[in-house]
Amino acid sequence: MTGRLVLPVVAMLALALPSAEAAARGRARKAAAPKVDCEKLLPKEVRDQHLPGMSLETAPCESCLATCRLTRGDDRVTLAYDCNSPYGAKVKRELVGSGMKEGSGVGKASFTDLGRLIFWDKETGCQVTVTWLGGKSEQLVQLAKAAEAQLTKSAIGR
């Protein structure tokens, strides 16, 4: 008798799993932030001031607002914008626990390590990760402040 029950239960699970997976994909699509072109997030004036001579590319990013890559020879800078990662005590513990230093005067919260600065914007709440392995820490902070000044609700379509 138990042998007869196993097959129908397995068949019901097999039928239920695809619909559960589809529902999860639907929720993920709804949660995804709108895409924004990097030209809007880092206008030419800002790039010319902080990153002169670097070319800008909006890189593909499925789950974030935008990933902006700037290059000039071997010098590379990346700014990744994620509006689905709210800041909280758990995030702070994880970042400090990973060796990042808290505070750089950017956003409502910020953390730095070698060549990387992560901050949460005051107006939008978006997390921005600025990576500049060849840059000095002062350059990194200045670039992050300039990026924060451009990050407004209207700039990201909210």
Side-chain angles (χ1 to χ4, degrees):
M1 180 145 174
T2 56
R4 288 185 216 162
L5 289 176
V6 171
L7 188 57
V9 170
V10 170
M12 286 189 314
L13 284 174
L15 290 173
L17 287 176
S19 61
E21 184 180 304
R25 279 195 310 269
R27 282 192 301 275
R29 274 192 216 109
K30 289 176 190 168
K35 304 294 183 197
V36 176
D37 191 289
C38 289
E39 292 281 348
K40 193 170 188 177
L41 295 170
L42 287 173
K44 183 165 177 26
E45 312 82 62
V46 172
R47 295 191 317 268
D48 287 349
Q49 181 180 359
H50 297 280
L51 305 161
M54 290 192 140
S55 61
L56 175 67
E57 169 194 2
T58 301
C61 182
E62 201 164 305
S63 64
C64 67
L65 182 69
T67 298
C68 306
R69 292 186 187 143
L70 298 109
T71 57
R72 178 184 57 227
D74 290 338
D75 204 6
R76 296 184 190 336
V77 178
T78 303
L79 290 92
Y81 297 80
D82 182 356
C83 296
N84 294 318
S85 296
Y87 177 72
K90 181 181 177 189
V91 170
K92 177 181 176 178
R93 280 192 307 275
E94 289 172 359
L95 292 173
V96 170
S98 74
M100 294 191 85
K101 294 184 178 115
E102 185 177 6
S104 63
V106 183
K108 65 181 176 183
S110 60
F111 300 85
T112 60
D113 64 4
L114 293 174
R116 184 173 56 157
L117 188 151
I118 300 172
F119 73 89
W120 280 261
D121 180 58
K122 293 174 188 170
E123 181 181 339
T124 64
C126 295
Q127 174 192 326
V128 181
T129 302
V130 183
T131 307
W132 189 353
L133 299 178
K136 296 177 181 152
S137 61
E138 306 87 45
Q139 291 174 306
L140 192 62
V141 171
Q142 292 306 313
L143 176 57
K145 287 180 178 181
E148 181 186 26
Q150 300 300 314
L151 189 57
T152 62
K153 288 182 179 179
S154 63
I156 63 171
R158 287 191 179 173

